[in-house]
Amino acid sequence: RINFNTTTDFASVSKRIPMLSGREYINFINDRNQALGSDSRYQEEDVVEYVNWQKELTQTAVTQTYRLSAGARGNRTDYYVAGGYMKNDGVVKTTGLEQFDLRINAGYQISNRLKASTSVNSLRRENTMTTGTDNIGGVNTSMIRQMILHPTAIRRQDDTDETISYSPRAWLSDYKDESLESRNTMSLGLDYKLSEVFTTRLFGGYDNRYKQRARWYGPATSTGAATNGQIGLANLRRENINLEALLFFDKTFSGEHRLSGTIGTTYDKGFSERWQMVNEDFFTYDLKTYGMGYGETVYPPSTSFSNQSLFSLINRINYAYGDKYLVTFTSRMDGSSKFDRSNRNSYFPAFA
């Protein structure tokens, strides 16, 4: 069976915060200054533009998705394959997301007792953000704060207090925050039915993730003006391996007593590496996020590594009587490489 579907969604700011118009803002500031005995801050001939920043910085976002899938089930074989593409233009201008993904699941009944299953997942994502739209964006630098706090009347550029260069437009034209991420996971499992009571399972999984992020501050931003342009690059690479060997049992006695549970061992090993670098003071601003190495000031790169493993012995035993009463005993012993060898293993029992 083959399926294909596509969707198109539209999104926009549904409720804007009421703000003073440019002329109302000028009158308010001038009246305030006069009440305090100061000169008027704005002169009509000095104002070059009135701006509604909430409209200026946002747009109607369009999201397009396309998905294709195919699957079948036979006497011994079953499979499912799905792939998709998504493109999103963010509500804030210059932001967006483009993503490809692929998923494959397959199973094969090798014999009446033995079955194999496998899964493969792949993802590639490109993300474009602006200040404050990432997960760790600060309140003081967020686009929302700039929309509501920046003056709606702009004076001439020779005014050092308020200039077009440092208006919120700078975050659209002279700031880049781009990331590229790929992630691939795969697993293989074998289930063997030893008897009517016992089943054993062997499982292995692998997870690989890579992410690169580049940020550019041009001279129209305060950070870029102070450094004559700044680029920051950061890379993340992470790998995880998971192995399991489990034994399941399920037995009913005399119609009223049922004993079931799981006994086994698991092993997890993870590795991660982080790297970041900053470059400043550029002779040209055209390269933006591709200009690493062309700046006069190069800061030493910083790196961090992590390599850890966890070995566990686990068991869970359930006793049920007459579908009314249930007693469960669970325990596990973990050995983690995070701790010293003399204090690496711990035992965790539980009873319910």
Side-chain angles (χ1 to χ4, degrees), residues 32 96 109 141 164 238 273:
R32 182 202 63 181
Q109 191 74 41
T141 60
I164 295 177
R238 181 176 295 167
E273 176 186 12

Side-chain angles (χ1 to χ4, degrees), residues 57-349:
L57 303 178
T58 61
Q59 63 183 357
T60 299
V62 181
T63 302
Q64 295 175 296
T65 58
Y66 305 88
R67 295 205 64 81
L68 178 66
S69 63
R73 181 181 295 274
N75 293 331
R76 288 184 173 273
T77 305
D78 61 88
Y79 72 89
Y80 176 78
V81 180
Y85 169 77
M86 179 181 70
K87 189 177 189 310
N88 168 256
D89 297 323
V91 173
V92 177
K93 291 180 180 178
T94 73
T95 64
L97 174 71
E98 189 172 20
Q99 176 177 296
F100 300 86
D101 67 273
L102 175 66
R103 177 183 178 187
I104 302 175
N105 293 332
Y108 181 65
Q109 191 74 41
I110 301 173
S111 67
N112 292 335
R113 293 179 178 270
L114 181 61
K115 181 179 180 180
S117 59
T118 185
S119 175
V120 177
N121 295 276
S122 183
L123 171 72
R124 185 180 188 276
R125 177 186 296 137
E126 294 184 44
N127 199 4
T128 303
M129 299 177 287
T130 188
T131 178
T133 58
D134 59 339
N135 291 334
I136 58 174
V139 174
N140 291 333
T141 60
S142 72
M143 293 297 289
I144 302 301
R145 184 178 179 89
Q146 295 185 51
M147 290 178 193
I148 61 177
L149 293 186
H150 201 83
T152 54
I154 300 178
R155 295 185 290 182
R156 297 185 184 278
Q157 278 191 294
D158 59 0
D159 189 310
T160 58
D161 293 330
E162 298 167 10
T163 67
I164 295 177
S165 298
Y166 297 124
S167 77
R169 287 198 187 105
W171 296 104
L172 305 183
S173 61
D174 223 23
Y175 175 82
K176 293 287 185 182
D177 189 343
E178 301 169 335
S179 64
L180 173 62
E181 178 180 4
S182 63
R183 187 168 187 178
N184 300 285
T185 63
M186 56 192 72
S187 65
L188 176 64
L190 292 173
D191 289 82
Y192 186 75
K193 191 173 182 62
L194 298 171
S195 65
E196 293 299 323
V197 177
F198 295 99
T199 300
T200 184
R201 174 180 296 170
L202 299 177
F203 175 86
Y206 175 74
D207 184 354
N208 176 279
R209 182 191 178 199
Y210 174 79
K211 184 175 182 180
Q212 176 180 292
R213 183 179 181 185
R215 303 176 75 179
W216 160 256
Y217 293 89
T221 67
S222 57
T223 299
T227 58
N228 195 31
Q230 182 189 90
I231 292 178
L233 293 181
N235 289 339
L236 167 67
R237 184 168 67 92
R238 181 176 295 167
E239 294 181 354
N240 289 279
I241 297 175
N242 171 242
L243 301 174
E244 295 180 357
L246 304 174
L247 177 67
F248 305 96
F249 58 92
D250 193 340
K251 176 67 174 179
T252 300
F253 304 89
S254 304
E256 295 288 335
H257 306 273
R258 183 182 179 185
L259 187 66
S260 63
T262 303
I263 300 174
T265 180
T266 67
Y267 176 73
D268 297 279
K269 183 175 180 59
F271 167 81
S272 66
E273 176 186 12
R274 298 175 184 268
W275 172 91
Q276 60 184 10
M277 185 176 182
V278 176
N279 195 188
E280 297 175 347
D281 193 8
F282 293 86
F283 70 92
T284 178
Y285 309 127
D286 295 334
L287 296 177
K288 296 186 177 180
T289 55
Y290 297 98
M292 179 60 73
Y294 290 94
E296 291 292 329
T297 305
V298 180
Y299 294 93
S302 62
T303 60
S304 63
F305 301 89
S306 174
N307 193 354
Q308 59 191 37
S309 59
L310 177 68
F311 179 79
S312 302
L313 297 174
I314 61 174
N315 77 80
R316 180 185 178 91
I317 300 175
N318 303 311
Y319 169 74
Y321 175 73
D323 293 330
K324 293 182 179 180
Y325 305 99
L326 175 66
V327 178
T328 300
F329 173 74
T330 303
S331 69
R332 63 182 296 153
M333 185 180 72
D334 293 331
S336 174
S337 63
K338 292 182 178 181
F339 303 100
D340 184 76
R341 291 182 179 273
S342 61
N343 189 32
R344 183 163 291 183
N345 301 313
S346 294
Y347 181 66
F348 305 94

Side-chain angles (χ1 to χ4, degrees), residues 45-59:
E45 61 272 14
D46 293 333
V47 177
V48 296
E49 188 178 5
Y50 299 126
V51 182
N52 183 327
W53 292 113
Q54 295 179 75
K55 292 183 178 180
E56 180 81 8
L57 303 178
T58 61
Q59 63 183 357

Side-chain angles (χ1 to χ4, degrees), residues 5-42:
N5 62 76
T6 178
T7 61
T8 301
D9 299 321
F10 300 91
S12 62
V13 179
S14 60
K15 185 177 181 180
R16 291 186 170 89
I17 300 173
M19 304 293 295
L20 296 177
S21 67
R23 185 167 294 278
E24 290 172 338
Y25 177 81
I26 289 175
N27 293 335
F28 169 75
I29 296 298
N30 288 343
D31 291 345
R32 182 202 63 181
N33 284 8
Q34 291 176 7
L36 295 175
S38 303
D39 295 334
S40 296
R41 185 175 183 181
Y42 286 92

